Amino acid sequence: MEIFLSAVLGELASRSIQFFINKSSTPKAMDVKDSLQRALLRAQVIIDEATGRHIRNQAMLQQVDMLRDAMHHGCYILDTFRYQSHDDKAKYQDTQPHGSEELEVLPIVGPAKVGKSTLVAHVCKNERVRDHFSKILFLRDHDFTDNGLTILREGCAMKHQNCISNMNNKKLMPRTSKIIIANRSANITEFGTTQALNLKYLSFEASWYFFKTIAFGSMDPEMHTTFGHVAMGIAKLFGKRFIGMNIIARVLRDNFDIRFWCKVLDFSRRLVQKYVSKFGVHPFDVINQNRPVHLGRMAIPFEDLVFYCVYQRYSREEVPKIRVEDVIYGNVKALGKSEFLSWVSPIPPYYSYVVTCEVRELKHRAAKRKRSTANGITLC
């Protein structure tokens, strides 16, 4: 699975890495210009040849469109490079301190749990990025106060340091410093000095591929067509919600029994239909907003599982032993409010996702037990 996830991030990571490389390295101007121009000419030849062949394959057409967009972007960069004044180049090459308004900013925008933090960590782990910077700091919301950048001495995760250089008390940074801002809101794009990266959830087709791979493990889905039919029904209920699909796929893989898979399908269908009909929203979308959700328990229908919130923990932090899927689909005894492990990411920054839930007895069940108790002796 690590290989698959790394492949998904590959294209996005390379774009982000290029942001650093292009701005931080100082090759000869003509070398950059000539290399880019040769690449654009090759792209134009490929596009012209593909257009002349009247391609009908949708996947190939999509690739051609992506290449055409990249060519347009490259032409724009080349023209910008050509028309840039020598004064601007000289100013850029100055490693003296300047005001923060001159810092370059890359915005990354995307919905919750789409992989913004993962992408940044993935890029900053690359040695081609690390070698250009003496420090790489990861800051969270509480590190920003009064519309200014406050670098906390404690709490900041310093991921890499080649050399120690004390930062100016006036909060001035060298012009070679770069900033990445990741947020769900598209409003952050106004702070960017380069084109923003807009992350989206995987397509359903890609999500199904991962779901099937995890659920069947080493077994061949073509040899178990009935299982595949049920698995696709479950996958369609959860669409592109990657973490939720990952959890359910693990449950199916650990319980390779067609009756159990059918029970998961029925349980999931009733849960989704209940929320969509009552609130007009998918229950996992409510979970992403950290709002309470009544999920219930498949194996113990007279108990309710109330989901409250999910949060991240770093790899070095301790996590709960009990997995949330064992509570939802298994027979774990866990009455009351507690924390459960949801998912551990296999790629940087290796976050663990922990959920706070409460297991309650349903009211009619509790009332029945109360009526069945006489003289301090439980009769049921």
Side-chain angles (χ1 to χ4, degrees), residues 334-364:
L335 282 177
K337 197 170 185 178
S338 187
E339 291 182 344
F340 305 103
L341 179 62
S342 175
W343 189 55
V344 178
S345 175
I347 58 178
Y350 304 109
Y351 284 137
S352 295
Y353 292 85
V354 176
V355 299
T356 301
C357 300
E358 182 179 5
V359 179
R360 303 173 179 173
E361 283 192 320
L362 295 177
K363 291 183 179 179
H364 67 272

Side-chain angles (χ1 to χ4, degrees), residues 1-10 210 346-347:
M1 179 180 176
E2 291 86 345
I3 297 175
F4 293 139
L5 290 174
S6 297
V8 171
L9 289 171
F210 287 119
I347 58 178

Side-chain angles (χ1 to χ4, degrees), residues 271-326:
L271 174 64
V272 172
Q273 289 177 347
K274 170 187 173 183
Y275 265 82
V276 172
S277 63
K278 189 173 182 179
F279 304 107
V281 65
H282 195 285
F284 272 47
D285 292 338
V286 181
I287 287 176
N288 283 338
Q289 299 171 11
N290 277 341
R291 292 163 48 196
V293 176
H294 291 258
L295 297 178
R297 300 190 66 184
M298 187 180 79
I300 310 177
F302 53 82
E303 289 182 355
D304 187 21
L305 177 67
V306 184
F307 178 99
Y308 288 106
C309 61
V310 58
Y311 52 93
Q312 297 170 338
R313 286 187 180 173
Y314 290 105
S315 57
R316 63 181 178 272
E317 296 181 271
E318 187 176 352
V319 296
K321 303 296 183 184
I322 302 177
R323 302 184 304 178
V324 69
E325 60 260 38
D326 295 331

